[in-house]
Amino acid sequence: MQATGSAELRDVYEEQYSADGDDAARYGRWRALCADGKADHVVRLAGALGEPPRRIAEVGCGDGVLLELMERRGLGDEHRGYEISEKAVTIAGDRLGAGVVERFDGEHLPVPDGAYDLGVLSHVLEHVPDPLPLLQETARACRAVVVEVPLEDNRSASRPEAERGRQAIGHLHRFNRGHVHELCAAAGLRVEAELSDPLPLKVHTFFADSAPARAKAVAKAAVRRGVYLASAKAAERAFTVHYACLAVHQ
Ligand SMILES: C[S@@+](CC[C@H](N)C(=O)[O-])C[C@H]1O[C@@H](n2cnc3c(N)ncnc32)[C@H](O)[C@@H]1O
């Protein structure tokens, strides 16, 4: 069943960061693999800012791996994370040091207006029942915001099997590019730069545990990349691509 209450939602994320042993290692590798592409996206989009961001906050930073990769890529020299899951904050503390990531209520960031040069909301807004207030709060605390979401308002993602998969991982919204533009405008932000990504082969094949499953994933990745290269817009209508934009105050 889909969780919609805030306590239920919190439990969904505590569970997602609570795997043990081999599962914990595997999900950790999966998050790191995905964060690699996300960090590239943030670095590319931050290039459209007048000057490089120094203070960076990631809101809904999970286990902190994206923060770590932004730091390794030399983006920013002060990094802070905010997260609703206690388990994720503990994992992030082991990774980044105590205090870098702080637990918050999912609504209010404990900092003054404009405290950060850049805020990052990466794969968070699709998890939040009402995404606008969290985007507004991030925009209050940050001079610019990178928003990244999967665009799931497409034919493939409307299959019942895909719908069940989305519910299992806590996605409450199926965004298209226009929805993200509308959210940014409603938060008083202008989209300054944007990109989309059909995702690399290593992401498509990560969970393929057998030779047939791998062959299927390789074929699917190749078809998707071909469609995407022919027309990014057609790709967005047909299957899920990741979308990221840099939004600045109007
Ligand atoms: C898919 S993970 C993304 C983690 C990280 N941002 C990344 O891109 O790798 C979604 C994260 O959003 C967090 N989250 C869910 N609802 C939230 C809310 N209202 N405020 C902040 N974070 C939230 C979850 O706890 C989870 O860590």
Side-chain angles (χ1 to χ4, degrees), residues 30 33-35 37-38 41 123 148-150 196-205 217 220-222 224-225 228 239-243:
W30 168 245
L33 173 60
C34 295
K38 295 170 182 173
H41 298 163
H123 293 258
E148 172 156 332
V149 293
S196 62
D197 183 351
L199 302 177
L201 179 64
K202 58 191 178 180
V203 168
H204 285 285
T205 55
K220 181 173 154 186
R224 288 191 170 194
R225 183 154 291 273
Y228 179 83
F239 53 81
T240 298
V241 301
H242 287 187
Y243 168 80

Side-chain angles (χ1 to χ4, degrees), residues 136-157:
Q136 286 170 322
E137 174 63 356
T138 306
R140 179 194 66 73
C142 307
R143 294 197 297 108
V145 183
V146 167
V147 174
E148 172 156 332
V149 293
L151 297 184
E152 297 182 313
D153 181 16
N154 61 66
R155 288 193 295 281
S156 175

Side-chain angles (χ1 to χ4, degrees), residues 177 194 196 227-228 230-239:
R177 192 183 282 246
E194 58 188 346
S196 62
V227 173
Y228 179 83
S231 165
K233 288 274 151 61
E236 281 174 29
R237 289 192 296 272
F239 53 81

Side-chain angles (χ1 to χ4, degrees), residues 2 123-127 148-159 161-180 199 224 235-243:
Q2 188 164 12
H123 293 258
V124 171
L125 293 184
E126 70 273 23
H127 293 270
E148 172 156 332
V149 293
L151 297 184
E152 297 182 313
D153 181 16
N154 61 66
R155 288 193 295 281
S156 175
S158 52
R159 291 169 300 124
E161 186 195 344
E163 180 62 42
R164 283 192 292 276
R166 261 197 316 283
Q167 288 191 9
I169 55 174
H171 288 197
L172 305 176
H173 305 281
R174 286 175 57 199
F175 290 127
N176 60 41
R177 192 183 282 246
H179 295 142
V180 182
L199 302 177
R224 288 191 170 194
E236 281 174 29
R237 289 192 296 272
F239 53 81
T240 298
V241 301
H242 287 187
Y243 168 80

Side-chain angles (χ1 to χ4, degrees), residues 13 17 38 58 60 62 83-84 104 106 122-124 127-128 134:
Y13 301 111
Y17 292 106
K38 295 170 182 173
E58 189 188 355
E83 176 44 60
I84 61 168
F104 86 125
S122 168
H123 293 258
V124 171
H127 293 270
V128 180
L134 185 63

Side-chain angles (χ1 to χ4, degrees), residues 5-102:
S6 53
E8 272 178 297
L9 283 170
R10 216 168 276 259
D11 288 348
V12 167
Y13 301 111
E14 291 301 356
E15 204 181 305
Q16 285 182 4
Y17 292 106
S18 298
D20 291 323
D22 288 351
D23 280 349
R26 190 176 199 212
Y27 287 121
R29 285 197 305 278
W30 168 245
R31 290 194 293 264
L33 173 60
C34 295
D36 201 40
K38 295 170 182 173
D40 288 343
H41 298 163
V42 180
V43 169
R44 254 174 76 187
L45 291 168
L49 287 168
E51 52 189 78
R54 207 174 61 72
R55 294 158 305 161
I56 299 181
E58 189 188 355
V59 179
C61 65
D63 66 358
V65 63
L66 176 55
L67 274 174
E68 180 180 52
L69 293 182
M70 287 190 276
E71 189 173 354
R72 275 205 212 149
R73 281 161 168 74
L75 187 73
D77 48 35
E78 188 187 317
H79 302 83
R80 289 283 180 275
Y82 300 92
E83 176 44 60
I84 61 168
S85 156
E86 196 172 353
K87 291 260 165 43
V89 172
T90 303
I91 301 172
D94 292 343
R95 181 191 297 282
L96 301 167
V100 174
V101 171
E102 157 176 358

